Amino acid sequence: MITVEIINNKTIKVYGHADYAEYGSDIVCASVSTAVYMSVNQIEVFDKTNCIKYNMLEGNAYIEVVSEDDIVKKVISNLIFTLRDLELQYPKYIKINEKI
């Protein structure tokens, strides 16, 4: 199962594997990975990487907003929305824990 921890809508930790399908064919893992990578890439495209700390490893991702910025806030909000939507579609494979 993929576990997502969201803390104050500013820190996102993603870890684990969905085990929806065989390695290389797992659409749930691919969807989560794509959403996370695309969000970080989008922040890079807008030259806002100084606003976040991040670490991306296989089966493990960490993003923390360290400086308020409207673009970064919208990108992170969209990532959270996407992860919540994936959790609704695949509740056996993704679990989100939110802390305020």
Side-chain angles (χ1 to χ4, degrees):
M1 174 174 281
I2 294 173
T3 302
V4 178
E5 292 181 19
I6 302 170
I7 304 165
N8 295 326
N9 289 338
K10 292 186 178 187
T11 301
I12 301 169
K13 299 176 185 178
V14 181
Y15 51 91
H17 292 282
D19 294 322
Y20 177 83
E22 290 181 33
Y23 182 81
S25 300
D26 194 320
I27 62 170
V28 178
C29 276
S31 297
V32 170
S33 295
T34 299
V36 172
Y37 273 98
M38 197 161 104
S39 297
V40 170
N41 288 344
Q42 190 174 23
I43 291 168
E44 287 179 351
V45 165
F46 284 111
D47 198 26
K48 301 290 182 174
T49 52
N50 62 319
C51 296
I52 63 170
K53 288 182 188 177
Y54 67 96
N55 191 2
M56 313 288 273
L57 301 169
E58 184 177 332
N60 211 344
Y62 173 84
I63 303 170
E64 178 184 357
V65 177
V66 294
S67 178
E68 285 294 322
D69 180 88
D70 192 49
I71 290 172
V72 171
K73 187 175 181 176
K74 288 176 182 176
V75 171
I76 296 299
S77 293
N78 185 62
L79 173 59
I80 292 169
F81 178 85
T82 301
L83 293 170
R84 286 180 183 146
D85 190 44
L86 288 167
E87 180 187 38
L88 288 174
Q89 293 178 52
Y90 301 99
K92 293 179 182 179
Y93 304 98
I94 303 173
K95 175 66 177 158
I96 296 177
N97 299 314
E98 296 191 56
K99 299 173 186 176
I100 298 174

